[in-house]
């Protein structure tokens, strides 16, 4: 019964991880609608006014036929521009609807599965793993690799390559010392950023001011003062400390060591701006800050994590140097047949290879996750035996393996390390 319960698929838990897969096309549809809604309203109203004024002018005789033709030509130019915007928006909307159909179909496949033993589940989970890998690579700037993997697996509609590539382009421009593309993005999403109370645009304007001050030119310093009056001082009520620091920057040159002005001139601010932009971009699209691959790994690691996995002895202890004659010193304990050294998780390379939590690759990620709560023990062997090396097995399995290995009666062999122990060296383990 326990095996059947463990193999049963919890669809709700699966969908928690796949929420961004469905949410992002919806958010992009909203953004696409907003991008053409206001231009359409503005241009259509303008055209109506031009037609009305031209007609009234012709009727009253105040407008000549030549002026009326010019007005109509201007109206046609404006309508053609609006048509191009609407055509591009319609193509983008079709692409997003195609993405939504593909993603709904992908998740519908999961709804038809009941257990992880179903052969179809392996193919589905493999595809989801590929999606998580593409998401991870896109978030870390590996755009070419992510695109190649998505195209190779034929799942371009299941991942958000275009969105993250656009984000990566702006992020790299910030890391390269340019704020213009980020400011353009802020202007396109000004209302949403204001609702989020994001300070991204303010930080970008401050960086522009800092770069003007860095030149030391009198002309640039005057431009910086005018720039501050227009873009920085209006935020004095919201960011009083930052505005005060910007004002104080007038008295300090880039080579100053006095804080906070030395930090303001520091080149590391560009990296901070890039990270702030990435956070604002993800928050705007309701995407998690953490890569989905880390979220999936964390849930699996939590199910395996035990208090022993993050003991203070996770670092492998270096071997003590041996004298030239090969004898051991008194400070180096020598294991004997009757007293083997206690074996902790993480202190031996074998353990770290076997335990995912103790492995060097996943240890840091698993450190912050919670321990799993198990209401009852599952898949627990009977007559557990603790071997001198700290590993635990069921007695029946040890006896069976000893017989297959051809060991003499009364001896057992560790299934993983291959060490041989006497049967009386093991201790019974009781689980309460």
């Amino acid at each position: 019964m326990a095996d059947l319960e463990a193999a049963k698929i919890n669809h709700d838990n699966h969908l928690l991880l796949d929420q961004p897969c469905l949410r992002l096309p919806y958010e992009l549809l909203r953004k696409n609608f907003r991008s053409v809604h206001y231009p359409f309203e503005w241009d259509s109203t303008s055209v109506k006014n031009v037609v009305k004024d031209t007609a009234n002018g012709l009727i009253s005789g105040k407008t000549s036929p030549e002026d009326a033709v010019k007005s109509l030509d201007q109206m046609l130019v404006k309508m053609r521009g609006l048509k191009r915007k609407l055509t591009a928006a319609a193509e983008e909307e079709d692409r997003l609807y195609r993405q939504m159909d593909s993603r709904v179909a992908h998740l519908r496949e999961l709804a038809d599965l009941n257990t992880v033993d179903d052969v179809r589940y392996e193919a589905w989970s493999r595809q989801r793993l590929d999606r998580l890998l593409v998401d991870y690579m896109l978030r870390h700037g590996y755009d070419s690799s992510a695109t190649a993997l998505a195209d190779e697996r034929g799942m371009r509609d299941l991942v958000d390559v275009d969105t993250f590539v656009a984000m990566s382009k702006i992020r790299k421009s910030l890391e390269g010392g340019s704020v213009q593309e980020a400011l353009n993005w802020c202007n396109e999403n000004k209302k949403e950023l204001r609702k989020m109370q994001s300070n991204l645009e303010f930080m970008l304007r401050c960086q522009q001011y800092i770069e003007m001050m860095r030149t030391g030119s009198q002309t640039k310093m005057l431009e910086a003062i005018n720039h501050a009056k227009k873009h920085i001082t209006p935020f004095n009520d919201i960011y009083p400390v930052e505005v005060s620091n910007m004002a104080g920057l007038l008295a300090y040159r880039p080579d100053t060591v006095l804080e906070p002005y030395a930090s303001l001139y520091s080149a590391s601010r560009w990296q901070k701006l890039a990270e702030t932009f990435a956070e604002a971009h993800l928050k705007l699209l309701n995407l998690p800050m953490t890569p989905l691959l880390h979220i999936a790994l964390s849930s699996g690691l939590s199910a395996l994590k035990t208090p022993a996995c993050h003991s203070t002895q996770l670092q492998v202890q270096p071997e003590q140097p041996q004298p030239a004659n090969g004898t051991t010193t008194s400070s180096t304990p020598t294991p004997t047949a009757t007293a083997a050294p206690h074996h902790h998780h993480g202190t031996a390379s074998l353990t770290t290879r076997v335990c995912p939590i103790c492995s060097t690759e996943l240890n840091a990620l698993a450190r912050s996750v919670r321990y799993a709560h198990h209401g009852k023990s599952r898949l627990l062997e009977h007559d557990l035996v603790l071997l001198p090396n700290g590993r635990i097995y069921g007695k029946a399995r040890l006896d069976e393996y000893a017989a297959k290995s051809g060991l003499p009666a009364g001896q057992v062999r560790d299934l993983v390390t291959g060490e041989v122990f006497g049967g009386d060296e093991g201790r019974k383990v009781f689980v309460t």
Side-chain angles (χ1 to χ4, degrees), residues 179-287:
V179 300
Q180 192 55 52
E181 292 187 22
L183 283 173
N184 293 339
W185 182 84
C186 289
N187 188 53
E188 294 174 2
N189 302 277
K190 183 174 295 185
K191 292 186 177 180
E192 290 72 26
L193 291 174
R194 190 181 299 118
K195 292 178 182 177
M196 290 165 42
Q197 298 181 346
S198 172
N199 66 342
L200 176 60
E201 184 176 0
F202 174 75
M203 291 181 64
L204 294 173
R205 295 298 185 184
C206 288
Q207 192 64 34
Q208 282 184 308
Y209 172 83
I210 292 169
E211 295 306 313
M212 293 178 190
M213 294 297 302
R214 193 191 302 276
T215 62
S217 167
Q218 290 293 331
T219 304
K220 285 292 183 180
M221 291 179 71
L222 290 175
E223 289 183 16
I225 293 173
N226 293 329
H227 174 85
K229 289 179 180 179
K230 182 177 180 181
H231 298 292
I232 297 178
T233 53
F235 292 92
N236 187 50
D237 294 337
I238 305 175
Y239 309 111
V241 176
E242 289 80 358
V243 172
S244 177
N245 291 338
M246 291 297 113
L249 206 64
L250 288 167
Y252 296 93
R253 301 277 71 83
D255 57 354
T256 182
V257 295
L258 187 66
E259 293 294 346
Y261 308 107
S263 297
L264 292 176
Y265 279 121
S266 173
S268 62
R269 278 183 59 88
W270 289 107
Q271 183 62 35
K272 183 179 179 181
L273 282 173
E275 293 172 358
T276 302
F277 163 74
E279 292 176 2
H281 189 278
L282 293 173
K283 188 175 180 180
L284 183 68
L285 296 176
N286 285 319
L287 295 176

Side-chain angles (χ1 to χ4, degrees), residues 327-349:
T327 59
T328 58
T329 62
S330 59
S331 61
T332 305
T334 304
T336 64
T338 57
H342 185 65
H343 203 111
H344 293 282
H345 274 284
T347 59
S349 59

Side-chain angles (χ1 to χ4, degrees), residues 87-118:
T87 301
E91 292 175 354
E92 176 68 7
E93 186 172 300
D94 291 339
R95 185 184 70 84
L96 292 173
Y97 277 126
R98 186 175 65 253
Q99 278 191 354
M100 293 185 70
D101 290 342
S102 299
R103 298 180 186 200
V104 170
H106 173 64
L107 295 179
R108 188 182 294 119
E109 293 177 10
L110 176 65
D112 297 333
L113 305 176
N114 296 317
T115 66
V116 296
D117 297 328
D118 195 318

